Amino acid sequence: MSALAETERPGSGRVLLVWGLLVVAANLRPALTGVGPVLDRVQADLGLAPAAAGLVNALPLLAFAAVSPVVPRLAARWGPERLLGIALGVLALGIAVRWFPAVGPLFAGTVLIGAGIAVGNVLLPSLIKRDFPASVGLLTSAYATVMGGVAAVASGLAVPIGEVAPGGWSTALGCWIVLAVAALALWLPQCGSPRALVEVRRPRLPWGSALAWAVTAFMGLQSLGFYVAVTWLPQVFQDGGMSAAAAGWLLFLFQAVAVLTGLAVPAVLRGARDQRAVSVACSLVVLVGYLGLLAVPGWAVLWSVLLGLGGGACLVLALAFLGLRAPDSAAAGALSAMAQSVGYLLAAVGPVLFGLLRSAGSGWQAPLALMCVTAAGQTIVAVVAGRGTVPHPDGRASA
């Protein structure tokens, strides 16, 4: 079925679908990355304890882990297009609920936001595999770039919006409902398409596949690295003698380099027989970045650039693996559900463990050594994750 997907739609329909996928991708991070810059104000205004404030950042990742495994079953029942439309509605509702400046709406809205984003995280690789099987790398890079670019903008605009808009930080968090509603409006035509009404095969998650576990480990370790970086790198830089403003700009540099690097990945993928060499090389760049930060912390700009270079490429590769390692769109959805449920659970643990190691010691050596170990582990699993096809769990021959 997927082999015919690119010819089943007229040109205008495929263009509308691509735009719909990219606008959906634009909604998968800003509601999350806009929280950190204003979290101190949220904590002060609502009287949150530090642990409760930390939960605001952890809840979406836990929602990803909880919701992702059930997405293939829900997609089989309702169709991926309609399920994604429902998820965008849930996301918009969560943003609206969180707009109210109170503790209950803050946490309830954050859970709804995490659930809506989790569905998008799982379904986008599956839809790309189904409708554009010959362009998995290109479209994955495009949506990862849009996702990362809007996320960086959200983190940069949160404080300025919170300072000038009525409602302060609540408006800074709530304004992203405009983007969610726009995505829902653009996606609604897909919900009524004939393909959305076709029954979808419900594959089991490939828990017994070693290759699926390698893809899952690669997804989880690169996600752990990203969330540790955006959570802790500014503090690492400040403790090294840098001002808070300069540390914030270095975090922006890290994210900007990561977004730009993702644009180059499709060209590399087109010229490679498999992805082992490029995924190992990019993981080694991340490892060098953390080793450098551990050994020569004064060269923070260089290490930020290296972490962005390696991390941006690894994100696109991790997302591309979900389609490249699967024989069809249904299997891609199952692999995506497995990789993102376990992967984001691992990502949620990373910043907490990094902080605990910092509290238990007298500096950043132990936490940064942990990141060196995780980057080395990512390099090892990249050798396995970079080639092959995950077999169908039901024993059917791969397409």
Side-chain angles (χ1 to χ4, degrees):
M1 180 170 67
S2 61
L4 301 175
E6 289 187 282
T7 60
E8 287 177 348
R9 294 177 182 265
S12 59
R14 284 162 47 199
V15 170
L16 182 62
L17 176 59
V18 169
W19 275 108
L21 292 171
L22 293 180
V23 177
V24 170
N27 280 271
L28 297 184
R29 290 299 178 269
L32 307 181
T33 58
V35 174
V38 297
L39 188 56
D40 56 341
R41 302 182 188 190
V42 176
Q43 184 177 353
D45 287 355
L46 300 183
L48 296 178
L55 190 60
V56 176
N57 282 328
L59 274 177
L61 299 180
L62 296 175
F64 293 172
V67 174
S68 296
V70 304
V71 172
R73 281 182 289 172
L74 297 176
R77 175 178 298 179
W78 296 327
E81 286 89 351
R82 286 179 291 179
L83 180 59
L84 189 54
I86 293 170
L88 289 170
V90 171
L91 172 61
L93 176 62
I95 296 173
V97 169
R98 198 171 66 176
W99 201 328
F100 292 93
V103 174
L106 174 67
F107 287 106
T110 298
V111 171
L112 291 173
I113 288 168
I117 292 175
V119 174
N121 284 340
V122 173
L123 288 183
L124 255 64
S126 175
L127 289 170
I128 289 172
K129 177 70 174 182
R130 187 196 68 183
D131 290 318
F132 304 95
S135 307
V136 170
L138 178 63
L139 285 177
T140 299
S141 174
Y143 98 72
T145 299
V146 170
M147 185 173 67
V150 177
V153 169
S155 62
L157 291 180
V159 172
I161 292 175
E163 289 177 345
V164 303
W169 62 262
S170 64
T171 300
L173 298 182
C175 68
W176 294 103
I177 193 172
V178 175
L179 188 60
V181 171
L184 180 57
L186 189 60
W187 190 254
L188 282 178
Q190 306 297 334
C191 298
S193 68
R195 181 179 286 276
L197 305 177
V198 176
E199 183 178 356
V200 180
R201 182 173 58 85
R202 183 188 304 177
R204 292 176 294 169
L205 271 59
W207 299 112
S209 167
L211 176 55
W213 277 107
V215 171
T216 297
F218 190 88
M219 169 65 77
L221 290 170
Q222 68 83 26
S223 296
L224 183 152
F226 173 79
Y227 284 103
V228 164
V230 297
T231 302
W232 287 109
L233 277 187
Q235 188 61 53
V236 174
F237 296 149
Q238 288 181 61
D239 286 358
M242 194 171 290
S243 69
W249 277 112
L250 276 188
L251 182 61
F252 175 80
L253 176 66
F254 159 77
Q255 294 184 79
V257 170
V259 170
L260 294 175
T261 302
L263 294 173
V265 173
V268 177
L269 295 183
R270 282 197 299 270
R273 295 179 57 186
D274 56 52
Q275 300 81 43
R276 288 177 298 175
V278 64
S279 56
V280 167
C282 294
S283 299
L284 285 174
V285 171
V286 174
L287 176 57
V288 171
Y290 279 117
L291 285 171
L293 196 56
L294 179 62
V296 192
W299 295 4
V301 174
L302 174 60
W303 312 134
S304 296
V305 170
L306 287 179
L307 290 173
L309 284 171
C314 287
L315 169 62
V316 175
L317 287 165
L319 294 171
F321 287 165
L322 303 178
L324 294 172
R325 299 286 82 82
D328 55 36
S329 62
L335 178 59
S336 179
M338 173 180 169
Q340 300 204 49
S341 61
V342 177
Y344 282 115
L345 185 61
L346 181 59
V349 171
V352 176
L353 184 56
F354 193 93
L356 287 175
L357 287 173
R358 172 65 174 87
S359 300
S362 57
W364 295 106
Q365 288 76 15
L368 290 173
L370 169 68
M371 298 312 299
C372 294
V373 171
T374 61
Q378 180 181 314
T379 304
I380 293 171
V381 299
V383 177
V384 181
R387 68 171 299 178
T389 301
V390 173
H392 286 283
D394 56 12
R396 297 192 304 109
S398 297

